[in-house]
Amino acid sequence: MFMSKIKITTDGTCDLSEDYLLMHSISIIPFHIKTDMGVFRDQEEITGENLFEYVESKRPYPKTMPISEEEYRIFFREHSIKNEKVLHISVSSGVSESYKNAALASTEFSNVIIIDSQHVSLGTGLLVAMAACLLKEGKDIEEIVTVLEKEKRKVSTSFIVPNLEHLQNRGRISLTKINIIGLLPIMPSFILKDGIVSVTKYFFENKDRGCKRYVEYRLKGVRNIDTTVLYIVTSGCSQRFKDLILEEVRKHQSFDEIIISEASATVACQCGKGSYGLIYKFR
């Protein structure tokens, strides 16, 4: 049986396109979404669009479920048999139990290595894409791990949540606060710092003006950005709004490539409809 030298795997929350994953033979393991109608495998049985249809029907708010240790064990067994080495790049340990479960499951396999990306969504995806490029260049797994551990500290993953009701549904903000500030156009922006999500700024603007301010805040005059590629992740945004994001980005930085991707159901469940983010790397 032919065995490849290195197999790259990751969590379904990486938000890279299916075409990209297929092109680079990257395998993903999906999270689960729990609703009052049952538990569904992200991307296979539920999408962000399905999720929002469910939420808008006024049913109990869904919950994301981390990938279990046993699920990882089965996943790693499948790939460890077929490949000399397996490199799994996980969603941040600071936002999900999945990294811990993956690390525990990997102890049963001498050829499985786990990396904590310290990012979510396309922040993790950027590191996966970097690993794929390094593999194509002929780097061995030790070299790839060394580069990723260094470069993940240079990745900027930020996003904005325009819907306070979503944060209240998830228990991130109290109903009292919603009632106090509900009449104000306010949108919090978040960033991943050392693998933990934290608020960086509030934008007291309507959605379009808030987008302009957010993009300006993240890009204008920011030095040392690696302009090779910018990832934009969106969750239930209209094409008009995606075009607005692109227009604003191009005012402040010139990227060689800009990739827009739709958030997985898991990421959409966490961030809500209308949320979006910018992901890039510093040099």
Side-chain angles (χ1 to χ4, degrees):
M1 179 177 65
F2 172 77
M3 296 180 69
S4 68
K5 289 186 177 181
I6 303 172
K7 173 71 173 182
I8 298 170
T9 65
T10 187
D11 302 325
T13 55
C14 72
D15 289 339
L16 291 167
S17 72
E18 185 175 352
D19 287 345
Y20 184 90
L21 296 170
L22 287 171
M23 184 185 303
H24 295 278
S25 299
I26 297 166
S27 295
I28 62 171
I29 181 170
F31 273 63
H32 300 81
I33 306 292
K34 183 178 182 180
T35 75
D36 67 347
M37 299 173 67
V39 177
F40 302 94
R41 289 166 67 88
D42 192 353
Q43 296 172 302
E44 296 177 7
E45 299 173 327
I46 188 170
T47 64
E49 185 178 355
N50 301 148
L51 179 83
F52 296 136
E53 289 174 0
Y54 172 88
V55 170
E56 288 164 4
S57 69
K58 304 300 181 183
R59 304 179 78 94
Y61 201 81
K63 296 181 179 179
T64 60
M65 297 175 62
I67 301 161
S68 71
E69 183 180 340
E70 180 59 23
E71 287 175 301
Y72 275 119
R73 191 175 291 113
I74 294 169
F75 182 72
F76 293 149
R77 184 177 298 119
E78 174 191 351
H79 294 293
S80 66
I81 292 171
K82 299 175 183 177
N83 303 278
E84 291 182 18
K85 297 285 186 179
V86 177
L87 177 61
H88 183 77
I89 303 170
S90 170
V91 65
S92 174
S93 60
V95 301
S96 174
E97 291 288 306
S98 288
Y99 168 76
K100 182 185 76 173
N101 293 340
L104 287 170
S106 72
T107 60
E108 295 191 14
F109 307 93
S110 61
N111 61 342
V112 176
I113 297 174
I114 312 295
I115 287 184
D116 178 357
S117 73
Q118 294 195 323
H119 292 274
V120 299
S121 184
L122 284 167
T124 301
L126 188 154
L127 292 170
V128 173
M130 189 181 300
C133 288
L134 291 168
L135 181 59
K136 189 175 180 180
E137 291 171 6
K139 305 296 185 185
D140 62 33
I141 196 161
E142 289 78 14
E143 291 174 301
I144 295 173
V145 169
T146 298
V147 171
L148 294 186
E149 289 291 353
K150 177 183 177 182
E151 294 298 307
K152 72 182 183 183
R153 297 178 177 85
K154 301 178 183 179
V155 176
S156 170
T157 299
S158 69
F159 56 96
I160 193 164
V161 176
N163 188 343
L164 291 182
E165 184 180 353
H166 165 75
L167 295 178
Q168 192 270 321
N169 284 333
R170 293 192 56 241
R172 295 300 181 91
I173 186 171
S174 69
L175 182 59
T176 301
K177 287 184 178 180
I178 288 285
N179 290 334
I180 291 173
I181 63 179
L183 297 178
L184 299 174
I186 179 173
M187 293 181 291
S189 66
F190 301 83
I191 193 168
L192 269 289
K193 184 174 178 60
D194 298 323
I196 305 296
V197 178
S198 59
V199 178
T200 57
K201 191 176 181 67
Y202 291 95
F203 296 95
F204 295 87
E205 310 279 355
N206 63 34
K207 189 175 179 181
D208 283 11
R209 286 174 58 86
C211 172
K212 295 177 181 180
R213 290 281 305 281
Y214 163 71
V215 174
E216 179 181 36
Y217 171 61
R218 298 306 312 172
L219 297 179
K220 185 178 180 180
V222 180
R223 298 181 179 181
N224 297 323
I225 289 180
D226 181 343
T227 55
T228 303
V229 62
L230 169 73
Y231 290 98
I232 301 173
V233 61
T234 62
S235 177
C237 296
S238 67
Q239 186 58 52
R240 181 200 69 81
F241 195 77
K242 293 176 185 179
D243 291 341
L244 175 63
I245 299 172
L246 279 172
E247 179 183 342
E248 294 305 311
V249 164
R250 288 167 176 152
K251 288 179 182 178
H252 304 299
Q253 294 282 347
S254 179
F255 290 92
D256 298 338
E257 185 178 18
I258 299 176
I259 297 172
I260 301 180
S261 184
E262 192 68 19
S264 62
T266 301
V267 173
C269 187
Q270 294 293 321
C271 297
K273 188 173 185 177
S275 58
Y276 52 97
L278 303 178
I279 298 94
Y280 52 82
K281 191 175 75 67
F282 291 99
R283 291 194 291 270

